[in-house]
């Protein structure tokens, strides 16, 4: 049996009496069909209402496609023929604010950018519309938000009704109705007319603030994220607190945070440059020290060293400096959670370090590679003993007659 949808004519009544006309099981839950209801079923991009029937939580409301009956899914069985329904009002009113705000924005984007709305998403965390538009500038978005809020402030009346065919044909509908059967029209003053079965506020002032958060590409369309009413206020509250916290962190006013962040970024860049230069000088000195302490064999100078938890980039830096000198073979390693080996030689030394690395890595695990001049790798966990062993093996292979 088709349910009489009382919310079509009245979005504000939240408590009502009805008669249970059918009991079914849906998704393993008991569900009731009422002769009439104010509960809104999930449809048209708007989530369903929740609430209670005879004190039992209503977890979902869905339309039965075969006959248009509304199924109220309950947390537990509700006995009796009489139903006392109560719609969760804060949730419903939130949906009314977001949904009516969507109508306003959809019309606004047609007026400022000839961009039609192709879909609407009203989620618990975000609200979006997708527009047929390749590019919307920040200026477009600002103009859209201005116009949308002007419509809010004009406090236009919102009307929903089922017009007869001749009236329907005269109405400037924003888009062709998609549903079969009688068409319900929702009008926002003379600003916007659209076919819609959802719940809306009675006047635009009740939408509250309409805030566009941003635009992103969604395939060929533009996705606009926005918030209305209480959601926008809560978002403002959070962002104001965040801005205040940032300003307090810098001991400045909220209006100066952007300059403070820019200053901090600059300082950070300069410090990084200074640090890199100091590190480079330290590596120069360390390379000189390594070379002075190198052991000489077969006319080659051999540097073999291992550390615990050293940055592989430093090992590389050290190796690059050492092999600038003629006749040098460098075998470096760091032990730790991510062991790493760097094997290198001077241009005038005829050894294939990539080949030698392959065998050395067996002792420490992990992957690596490189050129005959320099090879590196690792990544597995290895202690000092394993790394030393790998480097000794590499030494034996590089200088086999040692
Ligand atoms: Zn609507």
């Amino acid at each position: 049996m088709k349910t009489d949808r009382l919310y079509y004519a009245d979005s504000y009544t939240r408590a009502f009496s009805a008669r249970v006309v059918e009991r079914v099981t849906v998704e393993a839950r008991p569900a009731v069909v009422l002769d009439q209801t104010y509960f809104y079923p999930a449809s048209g991009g708007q989530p369903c209402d929740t609430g209670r029937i005879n004190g039992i939580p209503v977890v979902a409301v869905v339309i039965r496609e075969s006959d248009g009956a509304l199924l109220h899914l309950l947390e537990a069985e509700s006995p009796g023929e009489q139903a006392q329904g109560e719609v969760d009002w804060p949730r419903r009113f939130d949906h009314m604010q977001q949904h009516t705000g969507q109508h306003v924005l959809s019309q606004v984007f047609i007026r400022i950018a000839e961009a039609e709305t192709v879909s609407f998403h009203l989620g618990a965390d975000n609200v979006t519309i997708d527009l047929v538009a390749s590019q919307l500038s920040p200026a477009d978005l600002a103009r859209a938000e201005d116009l949308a809020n002007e419509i809010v402030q004009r406090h236009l009346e919102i009307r929903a009704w089922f017009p007869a065919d001749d009236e329907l044909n005269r109405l400037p509908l924003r888009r062709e109705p998609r549903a079969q059967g009688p068409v319900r029209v929702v009008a926002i003053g003379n600003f916007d007319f659209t076919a819609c079965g959802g719940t809306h506020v009675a006047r635009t002032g009740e939408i509250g603030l309409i805030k566009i958060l941003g635009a992103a590409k969604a395939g060929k369309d533009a996705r606009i994220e926005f918030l209305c009413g209480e959601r926008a206020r809560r978002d403002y509250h959070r962002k104001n607190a965040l801005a205040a916290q940032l300003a307090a962190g810098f001991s400045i006013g909220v209006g100066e945070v952007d300059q403070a962040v820019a200053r901090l970024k600059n300082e950070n860049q300069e410090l990084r440059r200074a640090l890199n230069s100091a590190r480079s000088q330290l590596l120069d000195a360390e390379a000189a020290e390594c070379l002075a302490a190198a052991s000489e064999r077969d006319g080659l100078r051999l540097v073999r060293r291992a550390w615990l938890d050293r940055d592989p980039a430093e090992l590389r830096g050290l190796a690059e400096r050492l092999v600038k000198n003629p006749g040098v073979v460098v075998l470096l390693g760091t032990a730790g959670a991510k062991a790493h080996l760097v094997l290198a030689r001077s241009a005038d030394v005829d050894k294939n370090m990539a080949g030698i690395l392959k065998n050395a890595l067996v002792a420490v695990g992990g992957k690596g590679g490189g050129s005959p001049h320099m090879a590196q790798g690792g990544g597995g966990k290895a202690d000092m003993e394993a790394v030393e062993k790998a480097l000794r093996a590499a030494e034996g292979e590089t200088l086999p007659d040692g």
Side-chain angles (χ1 to χ4, degrees):
M1 172 186 157
K2 210 171 156 89
T3 311
D4 193 4
R5 304 185 189 190
L6 301 174
Y7 62 82
Y8 273 158
D10 169 6
S11 295
Y12 285 83
T13 296
R14 53 193 103 161
F16 65 100
S17 300
R19 208 161 48 77
V20 176
V21 293
E22 193 186 338
R23 292 172 190 284
V24 288
T25 302
V26 181
E27 290 160 10
R29 286 189 184 280
V32 292
V33 178
L34 308 177
D35 61 341
Q36 54 178 13
T37 189
Y38 279 98
F39 279 94
Y40 182 79
S43 51
Q46 183 179 328
C48 71
D49 286 332
T50 57
R52 287 172 185 273
I53 288 177
N54 294 338
I56 294 162
V58 175
V59 294
V61 184
V62 297
I63 301 170
R64 184 163 64 194
E65 291 303 334
S66 60
D67 63 352
L70 299 199
L71 309 176
H72 303 73
L73 279 62
L74 303 174
E75 207 167 84
E77 203 71 60
S78 166
E81 288 307 297
Q82 281 303 308
Q84 285 299 321
E86 199 184 337
V87 174
D88 176 337
W89 180 246
R91 175 182 164 93
R92 157 67 83 77
F93 188 64
D94 168 55
H95 293 165
M96 285 158 61
Q97 285 187 317
Q98 311 310 318
H99 189 145
T100 314
Q102 177 257 308
H103 282 228
V104 172
L105 275 177
S106 289
Q107 178 63 244
V108 160
F109 278 109
I110 284 176
R111 296 202 180 190
I112 70 154
E114 289 176 25
E116 276 199 53
T117 298
V118 284
S119 72
F120 167 46
H121 166 78
L122 202 184
D125 300 317
N126 73 336
V127 191
T128 60
I129 47 175
D130 287 0
L131 305 175
V132 184
S134 51
Q135 197 92 49
L136 286 165
S137 67
D140 289 333
L141 299 182
R143 274 204 305 146
E145 189 176 292
D146 286 349
L147 179 53
N149 284 285
E150 189 189 315
I151 297 301
V152 168
Q153 284 149 28
R154 278 166 58 191
H155 204 39
L156 302 177
E157 192 184 341
I158 295 163
R159 202 158 69 89
W161 78 107
F162 289 88
D165 281 353
D166 56 338
E167 187 189 7
L168 184 64
N169 292 335
R170 286 196 308 272
L171 292 173
L173 293 189
R174 174 152 44 80
R175 58 159 200 231
E176 287 299 306
R178 284 181 241 181
Q180 300 281 317
V183 174
R184 179 171 182 258
V185 171
V186 175
I188 300 177
N190 286 319
F191 176 72
D192 181 62
F193 296 84
T194 195
C196 182
T199 54
H200 310 84
V201 296
R203 296 189 80 102
T204 54
E206 288 180 80
I207 299 169
L209 176 65
I210 297 179
K211 180 74 195 121
I212 294 175
L213 298 183
K217 270 190 127 12
K220 279 191 294 181
D221 303 326
R223 178 161 297 166
I224 307 292
E225 188 176 356
F226 65 97
L227 293 174
C228 301
E230 190 56 17
R231 287 197 195 201
R233 192 192 65 78
R234 283 201 301 265
D235 186 57
Y236 188 7
H237 176 84
R238 273 196 301 275
K239 284 174 180 162
N240 188 52
L242 181 65
Q245 197 187 343
L246 284 173
F250 287 114
S251 303
I252 53 172
V254 165
E256 297 158 81
V257 167
D258 53 346
Q259 296 156 40
V261 168
R263 223 169 23 242
L264 201 64
K265 254 172 104 173
N266 272 338
E267 274 173 27
N268 192 35
Q269 250 169 22
E270 276 167 33
L271 286 172
R272 201 180 287 266
R273 262 199 295 274
L275 183 63
N276 284 341
S277 151
R279 274 184 179 153
S280 175
Q281 285 174 34
L282 275 174
L283 283 181
D284 288 347
E286 192 177 358
E289 182 262 315
C290 284
L291 204 58
S295 57
E296 297 230 11
R297 277 198 1 231
D298 299 345
L300 295 176
R301 285 179 287 177
L302 175 74
V303 176
R304 193 191 85 206
R305 293 205 181 188
W307 296 268
L308 184 64
D309 290 328
R310 194 159 184 191
D311 181 0
E314 285 191 8
L315 264 56
R316 225 159 29 237
L318 202 53
E320 280 161 5
R321 284 165 172 76
L322 283 164
V323 298
K324 278 182 187 158
N325 304 282
V328 179
V329 170
V330 184
L331 310 172
L332 307 179
T334 176
K338 282 189 172 174
H340 197 85
L341 303 179
V342 176
L343 312 184
R345 50 93 167 155
S346 311
D348 62 346
V349 177
D350 185 21
K351 306 281 180 192
N352 180 4
M353 305 319 281
I356 295 166
L357 175 75
K358 215 177 225 175
N359 294 332
L361 275 177
V362 174
V364 296
K367 291 184 291 187
S371 68
H373 296 86
M374 184 181 288
Q376 57 169 325
K381 188 178 170 185
D383 58 12
M384 279 298 276
E385 207 178 317
V387 170
E388 296 273 19
K389 192 179 155 199
L391 295 178
R392 274 198 305 275
E395 182 181 335
E397 218 179 316
T398 317
L399 302 163
D401 45 354

